Amino acid sequence: MARILVTSALPYINGVKHLGNLIGSMLPADVYARFERQRGNDVLYVCATDEHGTPAELAALEDGLEVAEYCRQQHEIQADIYRRFDLSFDYFGRSSSVENRELTQHFCRQLDEQGLIEERTTKQVYSAADRRYLPDRYIIGTCPHCAYEAARGDQCENCTRVLDPTDLIEPRSAVSDSTELEVRETRHLFLLQSQLAGRLAEWLDEQSDWPILVTSIAKKWLKEGLHDRGITRDLSWGVPVDREGFEDKVFYVWFDAPIEYIAATREWANQEPEVRDWRSWWYEADDVRYVQFMAKDNIPFHTISFPGTILGSGEPWKLVNFIKGFNWLTYYGGKFSTSRKRGVFMDRALEKFPADYWRYWLMANAPESDDSDFTFEFFTSGVNKDLADTFGNFVNRCWKFAQSRFDGVVPEGGESGEAEQQLARDLDAKMAEYTSHMEEMQYRKALSDLRAMWVLGNEYLTHAAPWKVIKEDPEQAAMIVRTGMQLVRLFAVLSWPVIPSTSLRVLAALGETDEIPAWPSGSAADDLQALTAGTPLGDLGILFRKILPEEQEALEREFGGAPD
């Protein structure tokens, strides 16, 4: 039994996340965690809300709340939505936790002992209109490298280059839009990343199996040269800096946020300290395989900044073994936007359709090698053709025929023939591909394999035609329906990582109550014998209803289509 640690990029606290956030990290991480649990591995999947920084302060101010109370409320809202999306976190924590404060301060002390922390007087932008220092990300302007007009002072979202606020052309406050900015001197702690460049390059060179998207972004940063990075800010909300003379400062959110992966594990363990050992997952944890999931804008911080913190500490903390990075999910060719409320957000998505509709479509169209585009036309087509017409239709055809002609049980029937043996051979090949693609986290290919198996079931049933055979050979018809019901069960098990609610619904109607259905044996001939003849069939109903054209049009009107 392997031990597998899974983390997904922390969703920021200010507001409900959109579908792009979901497919960029949390959903594929959940699918992977579920798949590995099915295979009997010891999986720990942790995540948390990222709660520090100016955006939380400003959002709380807008809502008329203390920032701590605002974060508490938003954490509950997000956690509830993720539960309803069937994201199977073992623990969903908060970066404002005591555990994260202690660990963040610990890492700073360790880095300091290693000679990698330096105090420097810097010039920072102060907004007279806002009467406050502005964090880098709250200064916006035109990127000097790609001319993107909404680049932030810490990074350009368009070309992913790291920036300083003074690099921006025509900078302005993101809070008030004021251009009345002045530069003042302030003192901060810097992590000497430049001294870690060689060790990071050597470590990255060892990661030969990582996706090109991930390694190309990381090596681009290294090629451009690593700069020493300020890890403190002039803010009141965040992890306090436990250092004399820095009492009015907090750690930079991008320093403390990845440390929350460790802290969340510690929070999880603290729930049952007598049986859970958080350090075994993170400290001298050579037997653990650690896999991270994130969108491409988070890649630099997880391939450079966080590993730099771990390597620089001089302690044997766990480094990531594999990073699965994603491109963007766009919305009608443009960007999802939290600030402009453009796109489909997770709470609204669940008001329209059950979670499995969204989970399936997003995974089948995951933005892996390039960006994927969401439109309601694409979504409707995927739901109707794949879920309703292919999987759902197959299950309901088998179910209804068994109920109407075989007393609502899995029939016995005679021996299987050449058609069933060929079906088993075809399934063996496709299951091997599906398993391999799930292992490799190639999700578009994996979902194509899954759909292909559903198609095999439909083709078998259509060709075997038990509704015709039963007129002359009831035993043969019973064997066909028995095979069909075995396929129903097999498909439900294979589909569980992606559409867990529907999968468990089918399995429950077959009398199976395991929360985690075991992964198939790998031999279709054996897997198609799992159900015992005489197994009663419970009520199931329609698994997926088709989305009507008028519904699609109404969704486009409600959520908006192509950008103006």
Coordinates of all heavy atoms in Angstrom, one line a residue, residues 323-385:
I323 N 4.1 17.5 -10.1 CA 3.2 18.6 -10.2 C 2.4 18.5 -11.5 O 3.0 18.4 -12.6 CB 4.0 20.0 -10.2 CG1 4.7 20.2 -8.8 CG2 3.0 21.1 -10.4 CD1 5.5 21.5 -8.8
K324 N 1.1 18.5 -11.3 CA 0.2 18.5 -12.4 C -0.3 19.9 -12.6 O -1.1 20.4 -11.8 CB -1.0 17.5 -12.2 CG -2.1 17.5 -13.3 CD -1.5 17.1 -14.6 CE -2.6 17.0 -15.7 NZ -2.2 16.5 -17.0
G325 N 0.2 20.5 -13.7 CA -0.2 21.9 -14.0 C -1.3 22.0 -15.1 O -1.3 21.1 -16.0
F326 N -2.1 23.0 -15.1 CA -3.2 23.2 -16.0 C -3.1 24.6 -16.7 O -2.7 25.6 -16.0 CB -4.5 23.0 -15.4 CG -4.8 21.6 -15.0 CD1 -4.4 21.1 -13.7 CD2 -5.5 20.7 -15.8 CE1 -4.7 19.8 -13.3 CE2 -5.8 19.4 -15.4 CZ -5.3 19.0 -14.2
N327 N -3.5 24.6 -17.9 CA -3.7 25.9 -18.6 C -5.0 26.5 -18.1 O -5.6 26.1 -17.1 CB -3.7 25.7 -20.1 CG -2.3 25.5 -20.6 OD1 -1.5 26.4 -20.7 ND2 -2.0 24.2 -21.0
W328 N -5.5 27.5 -18.8 CA -6.8 28.2 -18.4 C -8.0 27.5 -19.0 O -8.0 27.0 -20.1 CB -6.8 29.6 -18.9 CG -5.6 30.5 -18.5 CD1 -4.8 31.2 -19.3 CD2 -5.2 30.8 -17.2 NE1 -3.9 31.9 -18.6 CE2 -4.1 31.6 -17.3 CE3 -5.6 30.4 -15.9 CZ2 -3.4 32.1 -16.1 CZ3 -5.0 30.8 -14.8 CH2 -3.9 31.7 -14.9
L329 N -9.1 27.5 -18.2 CA -10.4 27.3 -18.8 C -11.0 28.7 -19.1 O -11.1 29.5 -18.2 CB -11.3 26.6 -17.8 CG -12.8 26.4 -18.3 CD1 -12.8 25.4 -19.4 CD2 -13.7 26.0 -17.1
T330 N -11.2 29.0 -20.3 CA -11.8 30.3 -20.7 C -13.3 30.2 -20.8 O -13.9 29.2 -20.8 CB -11.2 30.8 -22.0 OG1 -11.5 29.8 -23.1 CG2 -9.7 31.0 -22.0
Y331 N -13.9 31.4 -20.8 CA -15.3 31.5 -20.9 C -15.7 32.3 -22.1 O -15.5 33.5 -22.2 CB -15.8 32.2 -19.6 CG -17.3 32.3 -19.5 CD1 -18.1 31.2 -19.2 CD2 -18.0 33.5 -19.7 CE1 -19.5 31.2 -19.1 CE2 -19.4 33.6 -19.6 CZ -20.1 32.4 -19.3 OH -21.5 32.5 -19.2
Y332 N -16.2 31.6 -23.1 CA -16.6 32.2 -24.4 C -15.4 32.9 -25.0 O -15.5 34.0 -25.5 CB -17.8 33.1 -24.3 CG -19.1 32.3 -24.1 CD1 -19.5 31.9 -22.9 CD2 -19.9 32.0 -25.2 CE1 -20.7 31.1 -22.7 CE2 -21.1 31.3 -25.1 CZ -21.5 30.8 -23.8 OH -22.6 30.1 -23.7
G333 N -14.2 32.3 -24.9 CA -13.0 32.9 -25.5 C -12.3 34.0 -24.6 O -11.2 34.4 -24.9
G334 N -13.0 34.4 -23.5 CA -12.4 35.4 -22.6 C -12.1 34.8 -21.3 O -12.3 33.6 -21.0
K335 N -11.6 35.6 -20.3 CA -11.2 35.1 -19.0 C -12.4 35.1 -18.1 O -13.3 35.9 -18.1 CB -10.1 35.9 -18.4 CG -8.8 35.7 -19.0 CD -7.7 36.4 -18.2 CE -6.3 36.1 -18.7 NZ -5.2 36.7 -17.9
F336 N -12.5 34.0 -17.3 CA -13.4 34.1 -16.1 C -12.9 35.2 -15.3 O -11.7 35.5 -15.2 CB -13.3 32.8 -15.3 CG -14.1 31.6 -15.8 CD1 -13.6 30.8 -16.8 CD2 -15.3 31.4 -15.2 CE1 -14.4 29.7 -17.3 CE2 -16.1 30.3 -15.7 CZ -15.6 29.5 -16.7
S337 N -13.7 35.9 -14.6 CA -13.3 37.0 -13.7 C -14.1 37.0 -12.4 O -15.4 37.2 -12.5 CB -13.5 38.4 -14.5 OG -13.2 39.4 -13.6
T338 N -13.4 36.8 -11.3 CA -14.1 36.9 -10.0 C -14.6 38.3 -9.7 O -15.7 38.6 -9.3 CB -13.2 36.5 -8.9 OG1 -12.8 35.1 -9.2 CG2 -13.8 36.6 -7.5
S339 N -13.7 39.3 -10.0 CA -14.0 40.7 -9.7 C -15.2 41.2 -10.6 O -16.0 42.0 -10.1 CB -12.8 41.6 -9.9 OG -12.3 41.5 -11.3
R340 N -15.3 40.8 -11.8 CA -16.3 41.3 -12.7 C -17.5 40.3 -12.7 O -18.5 40.5 -13.5 CB -15.8 41.5 -14.1 CG -14.7 42.6 -14.2 CD -14.5 43.0 -15.7 NE -13.9 41.9 -16.5 CZ -12.6 41.6 -16.6 NH1 -11.8 42.3 -15.9 NH2 -12.2 40.6 -17.3
K341 N -17.4 39.2 -11.9 CA -18.5 38.2 -11.9 C -18.8 37.7 -13.3 O -20.0 37.4 -13.6 CB -19.8 38.8 -11.2 CG -19.5 39.4 -9.8 CD -19.1 38.3 -8.9 CE -19.0 38.8 -7.5 NZ -18.4 37.8 -6.5
R342 N -17.8 37.4 -14.0 CA -18.0 36.9 -15.4 C -17.7 35.4 -15.4 O -16.6 35.0 -15.1 CB -17.1 37.7 -16.4 CG -17.3 37.2 -17.8 CD -16.5 38.1 -18.8 NE -16.9 37.7 -20.2 CZ -16.3 36.6 -20.8 NH1 -15.4 36.0 -20.2 NH2 -16.7 36.3 -22.0
G343 N -18.7 34.7 -15.8 CA -18.5 33.2 -15.9 C -19.5 32.5 -15.0 O -20.5 33.1 -14.5
V344 N -19.3 31.2 -14.8 CA -20.1 30.4 -14.0 C -19.4 30.1 -12.7 O -18.3 29.6 -12.7 CB -20.5 29.1 -14.7 CG1 -21.4 28.2 -13.8 CG2 -21.1 29.3 -16.1
F345 N -20.0 30.5 -11.6 CA -19.4 30.3 -10.3 C -20.0 29.0 -9.6 O -21.2 28.6 -9.9 CB -19.6 31.5 -9.4 CG -18.7 32.7 -9.9 CD1 -19.1 33.4 -11.1 CD2 -17.5 33.0 -9.3 CE1 -18.2 34.4 -11.5 CE2 -16.7 34.0 -9.8 CZ -17.1 34.7 -10.9
M346 N -19.3 28.5 -8.7 CA -19.6 27.1 -8.2 C -21.0 27.1 -7.6 O -21.7 26.1 -7.7 CB -18.5 26.6 -7.3 CG -17.2 26.3 -8.1 SD -15.9 25.8 -6.9 CE -16.5 24.2 -6.4
D347 N -21.4 28.1 -6.8 CA -22.7 28.0 -6.1 C -23.8 28.1 -7.2 O -24.8 27.4 -7.1 CB -22.8 29.2 -5.1 CG -22.5 30.5 -5.7 OD1 -22.0 30.6 -6.8 OD2 -22.8 31.5 -5.0
R348 N -23.6 29.0 -8.2 CA -24.7 29.1 -9.2 C -24.7 27.8 -10.1 O -25.8 27.4 -10.5 CB -24.4 30.3 -10.1 CG -24.4 31.6 -9.3 CD -25.8 32.0 -8.9 NE -26.8 31.9 -10.0 CZ -26.9 32.8 -11.0 NH1 -26.1 33.9 -11.0 NH2 -27.8 32.7 -11.9
A349 N -23.6 27.2 -10.3 CA -23.5 26.0 -11.1 C -24.4 24.9 -10.4 O -25.2 24.2 -11.1 CB -22.1 25.5 -11.2
L350 N -24.3 24.8 -9.1 CA -25.1 23.7 -8.4 C -26.5 24.0 -8.3 O -27.4 23.1 -8.1 CB -24.5 23.6 -7.0 CG -23.1 22.9 -6.9 CD1 -22.6 23.0 -5.5 CD2 -23.1 21.5 -7.4
E351 N -26.9 25.3 -8.5 CA -28.3 25.7 -8.6 C -29.0 25.1 -9.9 O -30.2 24.9 -10.0 CB -28.5 27.2 -8.5 CG -28.2 27.8 -7.2 CD -28.2 29.3 -7.2 OE1 -28.6 29.9 -8.3 OE2 -27.8 29.9 -6.2
K352 N -28.1 25.0 -10.9 CA -28.7 24.6 -12.2 C -28.6 23.1 -12.5 O -29.6 22.5 -13.0 CB -27.8 25.3 -13.3 CG -27.9 26.8 -13.2 CD -29.3 27.4 -13.3 CE -29.4 28.9 -13.1 NZ -30.8 29.4 -13.1
F353 N -27.5 22.4 -12.1 CA -27.4 21.0 -12.4 C -26.6 20.3 -11.2 O -25.8 21.0 -10.6 CB -26.7 20.8 -13.7 CG -27.3 21.4 -14.9 CD1 -26.8 22.6 -15.4 CD2 -28.4 20.8 -15.5 CE1 -27.4 23.2 -16.5 CE2 -29.1 21.4 -16.5 CZ -28.6 22.6 -17.1
P354 N -26.8 19.0 -11.0 CA -26.0 18.3 -10.0 C -24.5 18.4 -10.3 O -24.1 18.6 -11.4 CB -26.6 16.9 -10.1 CG -27.9 17.0 -10.7 CD -27.8 18.2 -11.7
A355 N -23.8 18.1 -9.3 CA -22.3 18.2 -9.4 C -21.7 17.4 -10.5 O -20.8 17.8 -11.2 CB -21.7 17.9 -8.0
D356 N -22.3 16.1 -10.6 CA -21.7 15.2 -11.6 C -21.7 15.7 -13.0 O -20.9 15.4 -13.8 CB -22.3 13.8 -11.5 CG -21.8 13.0 -10.3 OD1 -20.9 13.5 -9.6 OD2 -22.4 12.0 -10.1
Y357 N -22.7 16.5 -13.4 CA -22.8 17.1 -14.7 C -21.5 18.0 -15.0 O -20.9 17.9 -16.0 CB -24.0 18.0 -14.9 CG -25.3 17.3 -15.0 CD1 -25.8 16.4 -14.0 CD2 -26.2 17.5 -16.0 CE1 -27.0 15.8 -14.0 CE2 -27.4 16.9 -16.1 CZ -27.8 16.1 -15.1 OH -29.1 15.4 -15.2
W358 N -21.2 18.8 -14.0 CA -20.1 19.7 -14.1 C -18.8 19.0 -14.0 O -17.8 19.2 -14.7 CB -20.2 20.8 -13.0 CG -21.4 21.6 -13.0 CD1 -22.5 21.5 -12.2 CD2 -21.8 22.6 -14.0 NE1 -23.5 22.4 -12.6 CE2 -23.1 23.1 -13.6 CE3 -21.1 23.2 -15.0 CZ2 -23.7 24.1 -14.3 CZ3 -21.7 24.3 -15.7 CH2 -23.0 24.7 -15.4
R359 N -18.7 18.0 -13.0 CA -17.5 17.3 -12.9 C -17.1 16.5 -14.1 O -15.9 16.6 -14.6 CB -17.6 16.3 -11.7 CG -17.7 16.9 -10.3 CD -17.9 15.8 -9.2 NE -16.9 14.9 -9.2 CZ -15.9 14.8 -8.3 NH1 -15.9 15.6 -7.3 NH2 -15.0 13.8 -8.3
Y360 N -18.0 15.9 -14.7 CA -17.7 15.1 -15.9 C -17.2 16.0 -17.1 O -16.2 15.8 -17.7 CB -18.9 14.3 -16.4 CG -18.6 13.6 -17.7 CD1 -17.9 12.4 -17.7 CD2 -18.9 14.1 -18.9 CE1 -17.6 11.7 -18.9 CE2 -18.6 13.5 -20.1 CZ -17.9 12.3 -20.1 OH -17.6 11.7 -21.3
W361 N -18.0 17.1 -17.3 CA -17.7 17.9 -18.5 C -16.3 18.6 -18.3 O -15.5 18.7 -19.2 CB -18.7 19.0 -18.7 CG -18.5 19.8 -20.0 CD1 -19.0 19.5 -21.2 CD2 -17.6 20.9 -20.2 NE1 -18.6 20.4 -22.1 CE2 -17.7 21.3 -21.5 CE3 -16.8 21.7 -19.3 CZ2 -17.0 22.3 -22.1 CZ3 -16.1 22.7 -19.9 CH2 -16.2 23.0 -21.2
L362 N -16.0 19.1 -17.1 CA -14.8 19.7 -16.8 C -13.6 18.8 -17.0 O -12.6 19.1 -17.5 CB -14.8 20.4 -15.4 CG -15.7 21.6 -15.2 CD1 -15.8 21.9 -13.7 CD2 -15.1 22.8 -16.0
M363 N -13.7 17.6 -16.5 CA -12.6 16.6 -16.6 C -12.4 16.2 -18.0 O -11.3 16.0 -18.5 CB -12.8 15.4 -15.7 CG -12.8 15.7 -14.2 SD -11.2 16.5 -13.7 CE -10.0 15.3 -14.1
A364 N -13.5 16.0 -18.7 CA -13.4 15.6 -20.2 C -12.8 16.7 -21.0 O -12.3 16.4 -22.1 CB -14.8 15.2 -20.7
N365 N -12.9 17.9 -20.5 CA -12.4 19.1 -21.3 C -11.3 19.8 -20.5 O -11.1 21.0 -20.7 CB -13.5 20.0 -21.6 CG -14.5 19.4 -22.6 OD1 -14.4 19.4 -23.8 ND2 -15.6 18.8 -22.0
A366 N -10.5 19.1 -19.7 CA -9.5 19.7 -18.9 C -8.5 20.4 -19.7 O -8.0 19.9 -20.7 CB -8.8 18.6 -18.0
P367 N -8.1 21.6 -19.3 CA -7.1 22.4 -20.1 C -5.7 22.0 -19.8 O -5.0 22.6 -19.1 CB -7.4 23.9 -19.6 CG -7.9 23.7 -18.2 CD -8.7 22.4 -18.2
E368 N -5.3 20.9 -20.4 CA -4.0 20.3 -20.1 C -2.9 20.8 -21.0 O -2.1 21.6 -20.6 CB -4.1 18.7 -20.2 CG -5.0 18.2 -19.0 CD -5.2 16.7 -19.1 OE1 -5.6 16.2 -20.2 OE2 -5.0 16.0 -18.1
S369 N -3.0 20.4 -22.3 CA -1.9 20.8 -23.2 C -2.1 22.2 -23.7 O -1.2 22.9 -24.2 CB -1.8 19.8 -24.4 OG -3.1 19.8 -25.1
D370 N -3.4 22.7 -23.6 CA -3.7 24.1 -24.0 C -4.9 24.5 -23.3 O -5.5 23.7 -22.5 CB -3.9 24.2 -25.6 CG -4.8 23.1 -26.1 OD1 -5.6 22.6 -25.3 OD2 -4.8 22.9 -27.3
D371 N -5.4 25.7 -23.6 CA -6.6 26.3 -22.9 C -7.8 25.5 -23.5 O -7.8 25.1 -24.6 CB -6.7 27.8 -23.2 CG -5.7 28.6 -22.5 OD1 -5.0 28.1 -21.6 OD2 -5.5 29.8 -22.8
S372 N -8.8 25.4 -22.6 CA -10.1 24.9 -23.0 C -11.1 26.0 -22.9 O -11.0 26.9 -22.1 CB -10.6 23.7 -22.2 OG -9.7 22.6 -22.3
D373 N -12.2 26.0 -23.7 CA -13.2 27.0 -23.7 C -14.5 26.5 -23.2 O -15.0 25.5 -23.8 CB -13.3 27.7 -25.1 CG -14.1 29.0 -25.1 OD1 -13.8 29.8 -24.1 OD2 -14.9 29.2 -26.0
F374 N -15.1 27.2 -22.3 CA -16.4 26.8 -21.8 C -17.5 27.7 -22.6 O -17.4 28.9 -22.6 CB -16.6 27.0 -20.3 CG -18.0 26.7 -19.8 CD1 -18.3 25.4 -19.4 CD2 -19.0 27.7 -19.9 CE1 -19.6 25.1 -19.0 CE2 -20.3 27.4 -19.4 CZ -20.6 26.1 -19.0
T375 N -18.5 27.0 -23.2 CA -19.7 27.6 -23.6 C -20.8 26.7 -23.2 O -20.6 25.5 -23.0 CB -19.7 27.9 -25.1 OG1 -19.9 26.6 -25.8 CG2 -18.4 28.5 -25.6
F376 N -22.0 27.3 -23.1 CA -23.1 26.4 -22.7 C -23.5 25.5 -23.9 O -24.1 24.4 -23.6 CB -24.3 27.3 -22.3 CG -24.2 27.8 -20.9 CD1 -23.9 29.1 -20.6 CD2 -24.4 26.9 -19.8 CE1 -23.8 29.5 -19.3 CE2 -24.2 27.3 -18.5 CZ -24.0 28.7 -18.3
E377 N -23.1 25.8 -25.1 CA -23.4 24.9 -26.2 C -22.5 23.6 -26.0 O -22.9 22.5 -26.2 CB -23.0 25.6 -27.5 CG -23.2 24.7 -28.7 CD -22.9 25.4 -30.1 OE1 -22.5 26.5 -30.0 OE2 -23.0 24.7 -31.1
F378 N -21.2 23.9 -25.7 CA -20.3 22.7 -25.5 C -20.7 21.9 -24.3 O -20.7 20.7 -24.3 CB -18.8 23.2 -25.3 CG -18.2 23.9 -26.4 CD1 -17.1 24.7 -26.3 CD2 -18.7 23.7 -27.7 CE1 -16.5 25.4 -27.4 CE2 -18.1 24.3 -28.8 CZ -17.0 25.1 -28.6
F379 N -21.1 22.6 -23.2 CA -21.5 21.9 -22.0 C -22.8 21.1 -22.3 O -22.8 19.9 -21.9 CB -21.8 22.9 -20.9 CG -22.4 22.4 -19.7 CD1 -21.6 21.6 -18.8 CD2 -23.7 22.6 -19.3 CE1 -22.1 21.1 -17.6 CE2 -24.2 22.1 -18.1 CZ -23.4 21.3 -17.3
T380 N -23.8 21.6 -22.9 CA -25.0 20.9 -23.2 C -24.7 19.7 -24.1 O -25.2 18.6 -23.9 CB -26.0 21.8 -24.0 OG1 -26.3 22.9 -23.1 CG2 -27.2 21.1 -24.4
S381 N -23.9 19.9 -25.1 CA -23.5 18.8 -26.0 C -22.8 17.6 -25.2 O -23.2 16.4 -25.4 CB -22.6 19.2 -27.1 OG -22.2 18.2 -27.9
G382 N -21.9 18.0 -24.4 CA -21.2 16.9 -23.6 C -22.1 16.2 -22.7 O -22.1 14.9 -22.6
V383 N -23.0 16.9 -21.9 CA -23.9 16.3 -21.0 C -24.9 15.4 -21.8 O -25.1 14.2 -21.4 CB -24.7 17.3 -20.2 CG1 -25.8 16.7 -19.4 CG2 -23.7 18.0 -19.2
N384 N -25.4 15.9 -22.8 CA -26.5 15.1 -23.6 C -25.9 13.9 -24.3 O -26.5 12.8 -24.2 CB -27.2 16.0 -24.6 CG -28.1 17.1 -23.9 OD1 -28.3 17.0 -22.7 ND2 -28.6 18.0 -24.7
K385 N -24.8 14.1 -25.0 CA -24.2 13.0 -25.7 C -23.5 11.9 -24.9 O -23.7 10.7 -25.1 CB -23.2 13.5 -26.8 CG -23.9 14.3 -27.9 CD -22.8 14.8 -28.9 CE -23.5 15.6 -30.0 NZ -22.5 16.1 -31.0

